[in-house]
Amino acid sequence: MTLIKSISGIRGTIGGEQGENLTPLDIVKFTTAYVRFLKEKHSKRLTIVLGRDARLSGDMVSDIIEGTLLGCGADVINVGMCTTPGTEMAVITYKADGGIIVTASHNPKQWNALKLLNSEGEFLSDAEGKRVLALADDAAYSYPEIDAIGRVLSREDFNPTHIKQVLSLDMVDVEAVRLRHFKVVVDAVNSIGGVVIPQLLRELGCDVVELNCEPNGEFAHNPEPLPQHLTEISDLIRREGADLGVVVDPDVDRLALVCETGEMFGEEYTLVAVADYILSHKVGNTVSNLSSSRALRDVTESHGGRYSASAVGEVNVVTMMKQTGAVIGGEGNGGVIYPELHYGRDALVGVALFLSHLVAKGCTVSELRATYPSYFASKNKIEVTPAIDVDKLLLEIKSRYSAENVNDIDGVKIDFAESWVHLRKSNTEPIIRIYTEAKSQAEADALAERFIAELKAISHL
């Protein structure tokens, strides 16, 4: 069982011993530290938005956080079961001082987490996150007395507002999509996406076939939207004669698409397609992280823009997007960030922009996919024990391949002429991620196997 404290928030497994898992006492400790951090930045009484996904532990964790926020003297806007991008938008809409999202994203059901937001509805920076962790280790804190405790300002569903905000975007061609009457199968792995994505699609005039859409937290399959977990939706798309399949993770910041043939569109190509649509109307720059496909670079340059790669992590992508004035960006895991709405990965924005693009192209999903550069990815991971010095391990790999084009801003990425490999320590799990890309699936898989074997040989795993 594990408790991980990182730039991605406070993430751990439910139950077990304090300090080693996400226990009630740990939840209080880190929530208090977050309020103390915000009080250093804001002298006024704080207002904090609280939202959660449909995980089995969501109510329990959310209730503890709400009580702790009130006990720390902060007022709470509780949006209940809400997507990660929806909670981010609620912070912006209500002009709150921060927000906490209770979700462990793609992790299995025994996990949960506190994702911490600033007043812009964006994740805390690395320095800010470290400050929260430092305050969590400082027990010298006096909680407010009775007249200064917080209040719950409201408990209301924010999801309809988020949908309305997405549909109001200039680049979302609502009327054209409605006229097309797409038939869409949705797999939301029994979390909040099962409510929000069908609502959005029906607003867009789509005929929706629901699969795993009851938000009960009992994940019907591994919640990470990878091809090996999505055989059920592929079969259903073919049986229903659907135009498209939409798959989201439990907190709805990642979007994977499935062609009308039942074949994967490719999680990496969600952002590529949406960027193609945006850049066809507005010349500009793009950003994705080091683990993302070269296809975004190719599409960006074909439209006259400039592509930049950031370290992995949404906050790093957002920082570089602001620095380069990017008009679209995100991560190759299906995360689309469209600044016209907000600086956060948002599957709702991804769906609406993709359907607008599909209508404009007047083709099927598989035909659209065929228009993009053909790269094949292999995403793997190996578990590591605390005894393994991952940084030393990656340094050895860097040294061995020093004659190649190596980028070490986040782990080690080695660019070969026709392929690349990215090795990095996960922020959220005790693993090393091994991502590769090549001109064929066999080449990508072989490159991954080569580096997995090399890592194991060096570390004696």
Side-chain angles (χ1 to χ4, degrees):
M1 309 301 271
T2 308
L3 182 66
I4 299 174
K5 299 165 281 188
S6 74
I7 191 173
S8 299
I10 312 303
R11 185 179 301 231
T13 47
I14 298 298
E17 297 181 16
Q18 181 192 0
E20 296 182 7
N21 308 273
L22 191 62
T23 70
L25 290 175
D26 291 296
I27 296 165
V28 171
K29 172 183 174 180
F30 290 108
T31 301
T32 300
Y34 173 63
V35 175
R36 293 175 65 185
F37 162 76
L38 289 181
K39 285 183 176 179
E40 292 179 342
K41 300 172 71 70
H42 305 279
S43 58
K44 63 183 180 67
R45 186 181 179 99
L46 297 174
T47 298
I48 299 174
V49 172
L50 176 61
R52 66 174 181 87
D53 68 14
R55 286 175 181 271
L56 297 175
S57 60
D59 269 331
M60 180 271 287
V61 176
S62 182
D63 287 348
I64 293 171
I65 292 172
E66 181 183 282
T68 303
L69 292 173
L70 300 179
C72 289
D75 293 335
V76 176
I77 296 173
N78 195 325
V79 294
M81 203 182 293
C82 191
T83 67
T84 282
T87 307
E88 293 168 350
M89 286 303 302
V91 171
I92 299 168
T93 302
Y94 293 121
K95 296 181 172 59
D97 302 297
I100 299 179
I101 310 166
V102 182
T103 176
S105 191
H106 63 273
N107 288 115
K109 69 178 184 179
Q110 67 267 32
W111 289 79
N112 216 328
L114 284 67
K115 291 188 176 182
L116 309 177
L117 305 174
N118 62 20
S119 60
E120 301 300 317
E122 299 166 15
F123 291 121
L124 301 187
S125 68
D126 183 51
E128 291 171 331
K130 287 176 179 175
R131 179 57 182 159
V132 173
L133 297 181
L135 289 168
D137 290 333
D138 175 13
Y141 180 67
S142 177
Y143 288 88
E145 296 181 3
I146 186 62
D147 291 330
I149 64 172
R151 297 170 297 144
V152 176
L153 301 181
S154 67
R155 297 185 192 278
E156 57 185 287
D157 183 359
F158 188 78
N159 296 311
T161 301
H162 183 204
I163 291 171
K164 184 177 180 180
Q165 291 168 333
V166 169
L167 296 179
S168 297
L169 291 168
D170 289 341
M171 290 299 295
V172 176
D173 196 340
V174 175
E175 293 309 314
V177 175
R178 283 175 177 166
L179 288 172
R180 178 62 179 75
H181 299 299
F182 288 108
K183 187 173 188 179
V184 185
V185 179
V186 177
D187 182 348
V189 72
N190 298 117
S191 192
I192 180 59
V195 175
V196 178
I197 296 297
Q199 283 182 346
L200 171 71
L201 289 168
R202 289 182 176 116
E203 288 281 343
L204 285 165
C206 298
D207 177 11
V208 180
V209 179
E210 297 184 6
L211 173 66
N212 305 321
C213 283
E214 183 182 356
N216 57 20
E218 292 284 4
F219 301 151
H221 55 75
N222 186 304
E224 191 162 13
L226 300 178
Q228 59 267 36
H229 307 149
L230 305 179
T231 55
E232 190 178 6
I233 189 172
S234 293
D235 293 340
L236 187 56
I237 287 169
R238 287 188 284 261
R239 289 201 306 271
E240 290 285 341
D243 298 295
L244 170 69
V246 169
V247 184
V248 292
D249 63 339
D251 68 326
V252 202
D253 60 359
R254 291 172 61 176
L255 170 64
L257 302 167
V258 187
C259 300
E260 80 287 352
T261 60
E263 300 297 318
M264 296 297 116
F265 188 77
E267 193 182 30
E268 288 285 344
Y269 284 81
T270 300
L271 174 58
V272 174
V274 172
D276 183 30
Y277 175 60
I278 298 300
L279 294 172
S280 66
H281 291 82
K282 179 180 181 180
V283 176
N285 301 326
T286 67
V287 173
S288 63
N289 67 41
L290 285 170
S291 287
S292 300
S293 176
R294 283 182 181 175
L296 180 61
R297 179 200 66 183
D298 296 349
V299 167
T300 303
E301 291 176 352
S302 74
H303 285 290
R306 180 167 55 88
Y307 166 78
S308 301
S310 77
V312 173
E314 183 173 315
V315 65
N316 297 316
V317 175
V318 166
T319 297
M320 186 163 284
M321 287 181 69
K322 292 179 178 180
Q323 290 172 349
T324 62
V327 296
I328 188 75
E331 298 189 287
N333 60 10
V336 174
I337 301 174
Y338 186 47
E340 289 295 319
L341 184 63
H342 69 125
Y343 279 104
R345 292 179 300 168
D346 191 329
L348 282 77
V349 167
V351 168
L353 292 176
F354 181 83
L355 290 178
S356 298
H357 186 36
L358 194 59
V359 167
K361 287 291 186 180
C363 62
T364 66
V365 177
S366 60
E367 289 169 344
L368 178 63
R369 175 64 180 83
T371 66
Y372 297 123
S374 189
Y375 293 107
F376 296 83
S378 181
K379 298 184 179 183
N380 300 272
K381 59 188 177 184
I382 55 175
E383 294 185 5
V384 294
T385 65
I388 295 175
D389 186 337
V390 176
D391 294 327
K392 184 178 180 181
L393 183 60
L394 295 181
L395 193 62
E396 172 63 22
I397 293 289
K398 176 186 173 184
S399 175
R400 291 186 178 198
Y401 290 89
S402 58
E404 304 291 346
N405 181 7
V406 178
N407 186 320
D408 64 354
I409 65 170
D410 183 6
V412 175
K413 182 174 184 180
I414 306 166
D415 268 296
F416 303 104
E418 297 293 326
S419 61
W420 57 257
V421 59
H422 188 200
L423 313 170
R424 63 181 295 273
K425 181 170 55 178
S426 172
N427 288 329
T428 59
E429 300 173 74
I431 59 174
I432 297 175
R433 296 191 183 276
I434 303 100
Y435 289 175
T436 60
E437 186 174 72
K439 289 290 188 177
S440 74
Q441 192 63 57
E443 291 174 298
D445 291 340
L447 187 60
E449 290 169 7
R450 167 184 153 191
F451 275 88
I452 289 171
E454 194 163 349
L455 287 168
K456 288 184 175 180
I458 296 170
S459 61
H460 308 292
L461 282 171

